[in-house]
């Protein structure tokens, strides 16, 4: 079974440019997460989707970040315009949805963004 | 209150030794405490997790000890191996995946 797929793996852009990251979750996983991981730190949740609905986007900087999951499968995270402080690894994760207990989150390899 | 504190920041252990990583939390609404292992260039992978209704959970060489009253939990890696060298993150979550918070990580190096 394929894991969580993310692309691109690496991206280098100039500040003020736009950038987009793509994630394809594990088949059948209704819940999708986007995290940001700064160097030497733990992942920080940006947004969580249940199917196509964003159920937790409280940590998403909405002035420059946007995300979508139109058909409840793959998802795109966009930054426009990018700032120097956005340099980080952007991780996508997915899990089954259950109201009874926690399901394991499976992480993709991440996209390493460098903003110059 | 949403933070999870983790220590030490880095840890060096000899092969065959015991690695111990500690975490503490404040939010009493947290009721799920996983540990993740991350190798360079890879995403984190779930290692072991515990719910607060038990004080200890063991899976192979990995054990979580949980102290609900102290709001602390720890990961013990027995018979540490060089292949265990990675960064370990504790995390906490409540309400079926809401408020999912990671600790800052511990970089473990196991010397051969």
């Amino acid at each position: 079974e394929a894991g969580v797929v993310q692309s691109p793996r690496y991206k280098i852009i100039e500040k003020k440019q736009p950038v987009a990251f793509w994630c394809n979750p594990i088949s059948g996983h209704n819940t999708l997460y986007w995290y940001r991981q700064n160097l030497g730190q733990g992942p920080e949740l940006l947004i969580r989707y249940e199917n196509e609905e964003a159920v937790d986007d409280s940590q998403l900087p909405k002035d420059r970040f946007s995300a979508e999951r139109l058909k409840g499968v793959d998802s795109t995270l966009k930054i426009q315009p990018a700032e120097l402080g956005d340099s980080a690894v952007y991780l996508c994760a997915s899990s089954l949805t259950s109201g009874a207990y926690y399901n394991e989150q499976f992480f993709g390899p991440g996209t390493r963004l460098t903003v110059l | 209150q949403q933070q999870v504190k983790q220590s030490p920041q880095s840890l060096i252990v000899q092969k065959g030794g015991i690695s111990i990583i500690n975490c503490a939390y404040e939010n009493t609404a947290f009721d799920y405490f996983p540990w993740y292992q991350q190798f360079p260039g890879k995403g984190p992978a779930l290692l072991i997790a515990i719910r607060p209704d038990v004080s200890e959970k063991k899976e192979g060489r990995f054990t979580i000890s949980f102290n609900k009253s102290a709001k602390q939990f720890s990961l013990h890696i027995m018979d540490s191996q060089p292949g265990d060298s990675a960064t370990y993150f504790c995390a906490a979550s409540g309400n079926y995946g809401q408020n999912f918070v990671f600790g800052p990580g511990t970089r473990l190096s196991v010397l051969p």
Side-chain angles (χ1 to χ4, degrees):
Chain A
E1 178 180 301
V4 176
V5 179
Q6 290 188 248
S7 68
R9 291 294 314 276
Y10 305 92
K11 189 73 176 180
I12 301 174
I13 61 171
E14 300 275 339
K15 64 180 180 181
K16 300 185 181 179
Q17 294 298 306
V19 65
F21 315 122
W22 178 79
C23 172
N24 190 271
I26 292 173
S27 178
H29 283 192
N30 295 328
T31 307
L32 185 145
Y33 312 77
W34 281 104
Y35 290 88
R36 176 169 58 190
Q37 185 174 24
N38 292 314
L39 187 63
Q41 298 183 23
E44 297 175 303
L45 180 67
L46 292 173
I47 189 168
R48 177 169 66 98
Y49 281 94
E50 295 288 346
N51 298 302
E52 63 274 9
E53 182 183 0
V55 296
D56 182 0
D57 63 355
S58 57
Q59 301 302 312
L60 189 71
K62 297 181 183 63
D63 57 337
R64 296 184 300 109
F65 286 64
S66 64
E68 60 183 16
R69 194 184 184 200
L70 293 176
K71 297 182 178 180
V73 181
D74 57 350
S75 176
T76 302
L77 177 68
K78 298 178 181 177
I79 308 175
Q80 182 171 10
E83 298 179 351
L84 294 176
D86 296 330
S87 295
V89 175
Y90 291 83
L91 294 163
C92 179
S94 70
S95 70
L96 294 169
T97 299
S98 172
Y101 58 91
Y102 292 95
N103 286 299
E104 178 180 352
Q105 291 188 34
F106 293 83
F107 283 82
T111 297
R112 181 177 294 276
L113 173 67
T114 301
V115 182
L116 303 177
Chain B
Q1 195 177 23
Q2 290 293 85
Q3 275 188 322
V4 175
K5 298 179 181 179
Q6 183 172 348
S7 63
Q9 187 175 7
S10 62
L11 180 62
I12 300 175
V13 174
Q14 292 287 340
K15 178 182 176 181
I18 301 173
S19 303
I20 301 174
I21 305 171
N22 300 299
C23 283
Y25 64 99
E26 290 294 326
N27 190 342
T28 56
F30 289 149
D31 62 359
Y32 176 68
F33 303 91
W35 285 90
Y36 284 83
Q37 180 187 56
Q38 185 176 30
F39 293 103
K42 305 290 186 182
L46 180 65
L47 195 59
I48 186 173
I50 196 168
R51 298 292 301 275
D53 51 347
V54 296
S55 60
E56 186 174 283
K57 183 175 181 180
K58 183 177 181 179
E59 291 184 0
R61 297 185 293 109
F62 301 91
T63 299
I64 299 178
S65 297
F66 186 82
N67 185 330
K68 187 175 181 178
S69 61
K71 292 185 283 187
Q72 295 175 348
F73 58 110
S74 60
L75 176 69
H76 295 233
I77 306 175
M78 311 301 287
D79 187 25
S80 298
Q81 300 296 312
D84 297 330
S85 297
T87 299
Y88 292 80
F89 296 95
C90 61
S93 183
N95 202 12
Y96 305 118
Q98 297 183 31
N99 304 319
F100 210 97
V101 180
F102 282 80
T106 295
R107 178 173 290 186
L108 172 65
S109 297
V110 181
L111 303 179

